[in-house]
Amino acid sequence: MADRVQETLTSILDEDLDLSPGDISASSSLVDDLGMDSVAFAIGVVAIEERLGVRLSEREIYESATVGDLQDAIRAKLDGLDSDRAEPNGAELNRAGR
């Protein structure tokens, strides 16, 4: 069963980057199988941030060889955001020095 991250990432690859959803699987190589280049990565990063509220670093993008790797990187960021929100008494604000 597809989750929110998988569905949104597939939608980004399809709608924003004009890739066929039938060609997209977790094991698809972003470069070799899907033909993504630096422009496609830039468009994808912006779309991921807009639709999922996740900002990926250049390193996280570079280390994501497959669609599944990218999904995992997004999920890890989302999990981090969820745990920050769950901390009592605004602990995330204290960590940021505010």
Side-chain angles (χ1 to χ4, degrees), residues 25-90:
S25 72
S27 63
S28 297
S29 167
L30 296 169
V31 175
D32 296 331
D33 296 333
L34 301 180
M36 291 183 61
D37 58 15
S38 59
V39 173
F41 276 103
I43 292 168
V45 166
V46 170
I48 288 167
E49 187 171 346
E50 288 176 351
R51 294 192 197 177
L52 291 168
V54 171
R55 178 175 285 164
L56 298 173
S57 69
E58 287 183 37
R59 181 179 184 166
E60 290 164 321
I61 296 295
Y62 178 74
E63 291 176 349
S64 297
T66 66
V67 172
D69 294 340
L70 190 53
Q71 289 172 355
D72 291 343
I74 294 167
R75 285 187 188 105
K77 287 282 189 159
L78 287 172
D79 289 345
L81 291 174
D82 290 343
S83 65
D84 281 349
R85 291 182 189 135
E87 291 185 34
N89 302 321

Side-chain angles (χ1 to χ4, degrees), residues 92-98:
E92 67 278 2
L93 296 177
N94 292 333
R95 263 199 328 268
R98 293 182 197 160

